Amino acid sequence: MATTAHRRYAEIMRDVEDLINDHIVQQQRGTSERSKLKLLVPSVGKFFTPLALEEAFNFQDEKRRISSRRFVPPSFNDIRLTLNSAQLISLARGGPIELVTFDGDVTLYEDGQSLRDGNPVIQRILKLLTRGTHVGIVTAAGYTESEKYYARLYGLIDAVVDAIAAKELEDPKLVVLGGESNFMFEFNYNAEHFLQHIPRAHWLLDDMRQWQEEEIQELLDVAEQALQECIESMHLSAEILRKERAVGIIPSTSPWSQKFTREQLEETVLVTQQILDLSRVGKKVPFCAFNGGNDVFVDIGDKSYGVLCCQRYLGGIDGSRTLHVGDQFLSAGANDFKARLACTTAWIASPAETVQLLDELAVHEADLEKA
């Protein structure tokens, strides 16, 4: 039974892989609307690489024993991890990977925490840097001071400093892009807190230079009013927090404050998103409204711009040589979703999965070297 199930699942993966390959051919010709996949899934976007789905399924089936289950069909997580593996295999095969970008919360560390000493992902990131892969941390945290980013990432930054001092690492390319796509800092051994602020003139995309400050603030005004209406209509125990390039709601400091429910957070995101979409300024200035787990924020720009800015600043890296790793890819209130427009992506569900993902990438690369 398991052998038959495995063969049938593998055949399905091979068929989908063929559909994707056909779509890529049409994409290269500029006629992607004619692909069979586009007809079946009209919302399908751009593929930066092929996806080795059959090979990835074989890899995951060996680990998760999907074909051996009698009563539990392939789950969402089975498919998500198979797609991750397919992307890793294709990237390793077409290598080298030049840039890996990471979300912060729930990707590198637990929600609301910091990247502390001893976090197992640190050694994996150091290996990327050692082999010359650029690393970017593209986070919603919108700080203007290097000290605050250091406080969130000190475990990694200190490890990089130690590796340089021990001559194990030379000139690592590590950048932090905060507020989705608004504040860039680059690792600098001689800078305060080892992070040097990079002026926007050095990394802004051409279309981002067209955004007017008055329109940015107008959009944040509209978003703030929408958030206030959500607070009042749902009686949320929340406070408005306005930043230079973002506005959001955070839990109230009142001793009678109640934790937000997931439904309240999602409703707030969708209401605010719709109001901004219908506004005049929302059609002119790109923005991202997202559920942060215990808050809701609206940022100027989004992670597609964040990844593209990293690619530009680091020398014009192509999306097919870039991997973005994040935990928020559901279309409603998920800020990693837009990164799919800029590069290949991997959808993880915890910091532990990020470690497993990087270890798996190393396995696929090692297998190719042996072949």
Side-chain angles (χ1 to χ4, degrees):
M1 180 181 289
T3 302
T4 301
H6 177 90
R7 186 184 71 251
R8 290 177 177 174
Y9 289 152
E11 288 171 352
I12 291 170
M13 291 296 175
R14 189 183 317 128
D15 289 343
V16 176
E17 188 175 333
D18 290 342
L19 286 172
I20 292 172
N21 289 337
D22 169 71
H23 183 80
I24 291 173
V25 170
Q26 298 292 347
Q27 186 176 275
Q28 293 169 341
R29 294 174 178 170
T31 56
S32 57
E33 70 281 354
R34 299 181 185 175
S35 80
K36 297 175 184 176
L37 184 60
K38 188 73 171 179
L39 294 173
L40 293 169
V41 188
S43 62
V44 70
K46 178 180 179 179
F47 286 87
F48 290 90
T49 69
L51 290 179
L53 288 172
E54 183 180 6
E55 188 175 343
F57 172 73
N58 291 335
F59 179 83
Q60 286 295 336
D61 197 34
E62 185 69 25
K63 294 173 62 178
R64 300 175 67 82
R65 300 298 175 183
I66 302 167
S67 302
S68 299
R69 300 198 302 245
R70 296 178 57 196
F71 300 108
V72 179
S75 68
F76 173 83
N77 283 329
D78 292 328
I79 301 301
R80 177 176 61 81
L81 293 171
T82 298
L83 287 169
N84 284 351
S85 292
Q87 187 61 82
L88 294 181
I89 293 168
S90 295
L91 281 169
R93 193 164 287 159
I97 301 175
E98 297 181 18
L99 171 64
V100 181
T101 61
F102 298 91
D103 177 37
D105 289 75
V106 188
T107 300
L108 294 178
Y109 43 81
E110 297 296 341
D111 192 26
Q113 301 300 311
S114 301
L115 189 49
R116 300 187 175 96
D117 297 331
N119 187 317
V121 80
I122 292 173
Q123 290 303 315
R124 276 72 175 180
I125 294 177
L126 284 177
K127 287 182 180 178
L128 293 175
L129 293 169
T130 301
R131 72 184 194 190
T133 303
H134 304 328
V135 172
I137 298 175
V138 184
T139 172
Y143 308 133
T144 56
E145 308 90 356
S146 62
E147 180 181 6
K148 292 185 177 179
Y149 285 113
Y150 175 78
R152 297 298 298 273
L153 304 169
Y154 69 89
L156 173 61
I157 294 172
D158 288 350
V160 172
V161 170
D162 291 343
I164 292 174
K167 301 188 183 305
E168 298 170 355
L169 191 59
E170 183 178 351
D171 192 28
K173 293 298 182 183
L174 172 64
V175 297
V176 180
L177 196 55
E180 312 285 2
S181 56
N182 288 292
F183 312 103
M184 181 180 282
F185 292 82
E186 183 176 18
F187 177 84
N188 185 321
Y189 189 82
N190 299 309
E192 185 177 17
H193 306 298
F194 306 103
L195 291 171
Q196 179 182 354
H197 177 255
I198 307 300
R200 290 191 179 111
H202 293 284
W203 52 268
L204 279 184
L205 305 177
D206 291 342
D207 57 338
M208 295 173 74
R209 298 177 192 276
Q210 308 304 314
W211 304 348
Q212 301 298 313
E213 186 61 30
E214 306 81 49
E215 292 175 336
I216 289 172
Q217 295 307 316
E218 181 183 347
L219 185 140
L220 294 177
D221 288 341
V222 175
E224 183 172 345
Q225 183 177 354
L227 292 168
Q228 185 61 49
E229 290 173 0
C230 289
I231 291 174
E232 295 171 0
S233 65
M234 289 188 284
H235 303 283
L236 301 177
S237 301
E239 297 175 358
I240 298 283
L241 178 60
R242 180 79 174 249
K243 300 183 178 182
E244 180 182 331
R245 290 292 183 101
V247 63
I249 61 169
I250 59 175
S252 170
T253 55
S254 166
W256 298 280
S257 175
Q258 294 183 333
K259 184 177 174 62
F260 304 139
T261 65
R262 178 179 60 84
E263 291 78 10
Q264 289 173 329
L265 292 168
E266 291 183 357
E267 175 73 8
T268 301
V269 168
L270 294 173
V271 168
T272 305
Q273 177 88 41
Q274 183 182 55
I275 290 173
L276 288 171
D277 283 340
L278 296 174
S279 70
R280 180 195 68 84
V281 71
K283 295 178 173 63
K284 301 181 71 174
V285 179
F287 64 91
C288 176
F290 66 94
N291 172 1
N294 197 34
D295 55 38
V296 170
F297 267 89
V298 175
D299 285 336
I300 299 301
D302 57 47
K303 285 200 178 174
S304 68
Y305 286 98
V307 174
L308 288 168
C309 287
C310 289
Q311 290 171 336
R312 174 173 180 165
Y313 180 71
L314 293 169
I317 299 171
D318 191 77
S320 64
R321 302 269 177 146
T322 304
L323 173 67
H324 177 73
V325 182
D327 68 292
Q328 293 203 18
F329 282 98
L330 290 173
S331 56
N335 61 350
D336 290 304
F337 184 75
K338 288 290 185 72
R340 301 185 313 160
L341 300 174
C343 65
T344 70
T345 57
W347 185 350
I348 56 82
S350 68
E353 274 198 10
T354 301
V355 172
Q356 293 166 9
L357 182 93
L358 295 177
D359 287 345
E360 182 184 334
L361 176 60
V363 167
H364 295 313
E365 289 176 331
D367 287 345
L368 284 170
E369 290 177 1
K370 294 176 185 176

